[in-house]
Amino acid sequence: MKKLAVIISSILLSTAATAADSYQSISHLGYMDTDGNDTVSVDSTYYFAPKKTMGPYDQFEYINRTTNVFGSYADDDFGDVTNIGGEYFVQDFVFGAGYSNYDYGSDTDLFNVSAGYFFNPNLLLKATFIDVEDGDNTVMFDLKYNHQLNSTDYLGFTFTADDEFDYRAVNAKYFMDLQQGNYLTIEGTISDTDDSGSSWELGSNYYFSKATSAFVTFNKEDDYSFGAQHFFNKNIGLKAGYANNWDDSDYDAYFANVSLQF
């Protein structure tokens, strides 16, 4: 009887150990074919400690608390964009820095530095100073809050504004474990700018398993997209989809994205 209990305990511990996956390196290779323009992109983030998933291979906690460095590059028929940067977390503080270059006929450089403070593990206030070459500098403020509904489900909110309050945006994300290996995310963003008015975007992912999902997005301008993603194993995934506009159906976009997670 004692031997049987040890065997059952070992099985349960083994199952628990493999239930939550973790990664330190997350990269993507992307391609988009639109009418008159093709875009190739690559991005990668390295975390200095393992990040556990929320179940699906591509879902993590709403507020990141892991030191990291990142980089990305995108090239289309009109120019290219390069980004590099990182974040450093120490106790209740986070510090970040980044550099971006936009080359569309002429080079434009952007530098940013940021600092944030966790009032508690679920509430972060961060300020980012952005220095734009030959342009106006600005300071952006982000207030992030994670409301944990239970051990898995959460509601996440982010309020963003600039230092003059000319731009305001609210992002909300709902993550739900539907049990039996199914998951659901619903995410929306509403933004308002004094010069160009308001906009909104809404999207959702349904996970048939932690490896396979379907997604849909749409926004105020009647743009929409849909597609699916599948991880062949815990390290390699493929996402593919289609995008268009309800009012201007001449716009077609086909896109694919390969995920590499280790």
Side-chain angles (χ1 to χ4, degrees):
M1 195 70 182
K2 183 178 179 181
K3 184 176 181 181
L4 179 60
V6 172
I7 293 174
I8 293 174
S9 176
S10 298
I11 293 173
L12 291 175
L13 288 172
S14 176
T15 302
T18 59
D21 299 284
S22 62
Y23 302 97
Q24 284 192 246
S25 172
I26 300 176
S27 305
H28 303 95
L29 302 173
Y31 174 75
M32 176 178 287
D33 178 12
T34 60
D35 292 335
N37 190 22
D38 294 328
T39 303
V40 178
S41 62
V42 58
D43 67 80
S44 185
T45 302
Y46 178 78
Y47 297 93
F48 287 82
K51 282 177 65 69
K52 292 184 179 180
T53 66
M54 299 295 295
Y57 290 133
D58 66 343
Q59 290 294 318
F60 302 88
E61 76 276 17
Y62 186 71
I63 303 177
N64 175 55
R65 289 187 66 108
T66 306
T67 298
N68 64 86
V69 291
F70 60 84
S72 67
Y73 176 78
D75 179 83
D76 62 21
D77 294 340
F78 303 101
D80 57 69
V81 181
T82 304
N83 294 289
I84 57 172
E87 295 176 300
Y88 177 66
F89 293 80
V90 54
Q91 297 182 352
D92 293 328
F93 293 91
V94 56
F95 303 96
Y99 163 77
S100 301
N101 175 264
Y102 295 82
D103 185 3
Y104 285 87
S106 60
D107 276 352
T108 301
D109 293 324
L110 281 76
F111 297 90
N112 70 78
V113 292
S114 62
Y117 178 75
F118 284 90
F119 293 94
N120 61 56
N122 293 312
L123 182 61
L124 169 66
L125 176 62
K126 184 170 70 171
T128 303
F129 173 76
I130 304 172
D131 180 8
V132 183
E133 181 183 15
D134 300 325
D136 295 330
N137 301 331
T138 187
V139 178
M140 301 296 295
F141 295 95
D142 292 287
L143 182 64
K144 292 192 174 187
Y145 172 65
N146 177 79
H147 180 64
Q148 202 69 37
L149 299 172
N150 53 47
S151 61
T152 57
D153 303 2
Y154 68 79
L155 277 168
F157 300 94
T158 300
F159 175 73
T160 303
D162 63 4
D163 51 352
E164 297 184 353
F165 215 63
D166 295 328
Y167 171 80
R168 305 155 297 274
V170 176
N171 170 270
K173 181 178 179 179
Y174 177 39
F175 176 85
M176 177 189 292
D177 184 349
L178 300 173
Q179 307 301 318
Q180 307 302 317
N182 306 124
Y183 306 87
L184 176 70
T185 68
I186 301 173
E187 187 167 5
T189 301
I190 300 174
S191 62
D192 185 71
T193 306
D194 287 349
D195 295 334
S196 56
S198 63
S199 64
W200 57 264
E201 183 172 1
L202 185 65
S204 181
N205 292 271
Y206 179 80
Y207 291 85
F208 303 94
S209 69
K210 64 182 183 180
T212 305
S213 61
F215 66 88
V216 61
T217 69
F218 56 97
N219 63 22
K220 182 181 179 181
E221 287 72 37
D222 292 328
D223 299 320
Y224 66 90
S225 70
F226 60 87
Q229 178 174 252
H230 177 70
F231 278 81
F232 302 100
N233 53 48
K234 66 172 291 185
N235 302 119
I236 302 174
L238 175 63
K239 182 178 183 179
Y242 170 79
N244 209 323
N245 183 277
W246 288 113
D247 296 328
D248 182 11
S249 58
D250 289 336
Y251 168 80
D252 281 301
Y254 301 90
F255 55 91
N257 188 295
V258 176
S259 298
L260 303 172
Q261 303 185 177
F262 299 94

